[in-house]
Amino acid sequence: MNIDHIDQCRLSFFIGDRDCQITVFDEQKQKLLLFENYLIESSPIDFLNKIHDQHELVPAGFWPTIHIYIRNNQFCLVPSFLFDEDAAYNYIRLNTDSNPELDNYAIHQHKSLAATYVFGYPSVIQDWFFSKYKRARIHVFHEGSTFLNSIENQLLKIKKPVLYLNCNSDTLMLAGFSGQKLMIYNQFKITDIKQLPKLILMCIQQFSQEGQDTPIILWGVQDRIKSLEPLLKKYFKNLSLGKRSTQFKTSHQFDEIELYEHVEIFGSLSTTNS
């Protein structure tokens, strides 16, 4: 990439406990310039310190915009008409443990879905970025909220229920829609892939009377798709693989990334999702 045009680029980190993806996106040309995938073998902070010390571009002090995408299970989707910003911590506690002394809380409005996405994340993550990038505009998002943004532009033009799935290295995200209306969203840590058909069917039954005939669109990382796609096809006949957004450009160096991979990452590159 041309370092001379870094002032029009966005640096993004998709960071969890096990892995991290780093992207550089030229916002003016709407083009992906860098995509790197790392395993985290220690703590996220140790990883960030290491990548900041060793990477050629990450430590540059003149990035204008930095996006942080949190990968964790601290989230809750609340109907907008019920949302109370002062209750963020209580919403998170409905799903998982959280410590207001150690965690920060943020929201993302999904106006077209009439829902507010509330999430929590370790305050040390934000502190690290603010200490390293004092001049940048820093924004924090959650992987689930970004997944919902990513698929909104790809909803099937049918009125009947559809389930949209995204399976990354250790998490399964599920979004059930009836037409353009969001009916259910959840995400689960993957412990036993053989239990996923049962889990998926239980989610389908909460919003669809079609049961195993409900159409399913599946995205995911390649290693997961190789095992999950044939497993799910045994139980769900209307299963198909999703594709990435076409609202941005990529270089030939990214051709090895399958079209069904990293929907939440590539969807974040859309202007409307930034």
Side-chain angles (χ1 to χ4, degrees), residues 159-192:
K159 294 183 178 180
K160 64 181 183 179
V162 181
L163 183 67
Y164 300 86
L165 303 178
N166 183 34
C167 188
N168 61 32
S169 61
D170 64 350
T171 301
L172 178 69
M173 307 177 197
L174 309 93
F177 280 79
S178 181
Q180 306 296 302
K181 184 178 180 181
L182 177 65
M183 305 300 294
I184 184 175
Y185 177 79
N186 213 335
Q187 61 185 62
F188 306 92
K189 290 294 182 183
I190 300 171
T191 55
D192 183 0

Side-chain angles (χ1 to χ4, degrees), residues 4-270:
D4 294 334
H5 297 297
I6 200 171
D7 60 320
Q8 64 192 41
C9 294
R10 180 203 316 163
L11 175 65
S12 298
F13 297 78
F14 297 77
I15 186 162
D17 291 330
R18 295 180 53 182
D19 56 24
C20 179
Q21 296 76 38
I22 298 175
T23 66
V24 173
F25 183 65
D26 188 319
E27 295 182 316
Q28 182 172 316
K29 295 181 179 179
Q30 288 289 291
K31 187 174 183 179
L32 179 66
L33 303 178
L34 178 76
F35 180 100
E36 295 178 346
N37 192 7
Y38 296 91
L39 293 178
I40 296 179
E41 298 177 349
S42 54
S43 71
I45 293 297
D46 287 342
F47 165 79
L48 289 171
N49 283 326
K50 182 177 179 181
I51 203 74
H52 190 270
D53 290 340
Q54 299 180 357
H55 201 278
E56 180 180 0
L57 295 173
V58 165
F62 37 85
W63 292 103
T65 305
I66 293 178
H67 283 187
I68 310 163
Y69 297 85
I70 302 296
R71 297 191 183 278
N72 67 14
N73 62 347
Q74 288 198 46
F75 74 94
C76 185
L77 197 63
V78 183
S80 292
F81 72 93
L82 292 175
F83 175 68
D84 178 0
E85 190 167 359
D86 294 331
Y89 165 63
N90 293 323
Y91 292 134
I92 299 298
R93 285 204 309 164
L94 295 173
N95 272 353
T96 187
D97 293 332
S98 183
N99 186 340
E101 295 183 359
L102 300 176
D103 295 327
N104 290 343
Y105 303 100
I107 66 170
H108 184 81
Q109 298 285 354
H110 291 268
K111 293 182 179 180
S112 63
L113 302 179
T116 300
Y117 198 102
V118 188
F119 64 98
Y121 59 94
S123 58
V124 293
I125 296 289
Q126 179 173 290
D127 293 343
W128 186 91
F129 279 96
F130 274 86
S131 69
K132 299 297 184 183
Y133 303 99
K134 298 182 184 298
R135 298 181 180 179
R137 299 184 302 273
I138 299 175
H139 305 277
V140 185
F141 305 90
H142 192 271
E143 61 175 346
S145 179
T146 307
F147 173 56
L148 288 173
N149 271 341
S150 301
I151 63 178
E152 274 190 77
N153 296 324
Q154 301 192 53
L155 295 177
L156 296 185
K157 306 301 182 183
I158 57 177
K159 294 183 178 180
K160 64 181 183 179
V162 181
L163 183 67
Y164 300 86
L165 303 178
N166 183 34
C167 188
N168 61 32
S169 61
D170 64 350
T171 301
L172 178 69
M173 307 177 197
L174 309 93
F177 280 79
S178 181
Q180 306 296 302
K181 184 178 180 181
L182 177 65
M183 305 300 294
I184 184 175
Y185 177 79
N186 213 335
Q187 61 185 62
F188 306 92
K189 290 294 182 183
I190 300 171
T191 55
D192 183 0
I193 196 170
K194 294 180 181 179
Q195 296 299 316
L196 292 186
K198 181 179 179 180
L199 178 64
I200 290 168
L201 182 58
M202 290 173 59
C203 291
I204 287 175
Q205 291 171 340
Q206 295 184 50
F207 74 98
S208 173
Q209 296 181 349
E210 301 294 326
Q212 290 173 251
D213 292 330
T214 301
I216 296 177
I217 310 298
L218 174 65
W219 291 271
V221 294
Q222 188 175 38
D223 288 346
R224 285 295 190 185
I225 293 295
K226 284 182 178 179
S227 55
L228 187 57
E229 183 186 16
L231 175 64
L232 293 184
K233 281 187 173 180
K234 294 179 181 179
Y235 303 95
F236 305 100
K237 65 179 182 180
N238 291 326
L239 175 75
S240 58
L241 294 179
K243 296 181 179 180
R244 74 173 64 133
S245 170
T246 59
Q247 298 181 10
F248 62 92
K249 305 172 186 176
T250 60
S251 302
H252 293 301
Q253 68 196 82
F254 306 118
D255 287 348
E256 72 276 8
I257 302 175
E258 299 289 348
L259 294 177
Y260 55 74
E261 289 193 280
H262 306 297
V263 61
E264 77 282 11
I265 295 178
F266 288 115
S268 75
L269 303 179
S270 167

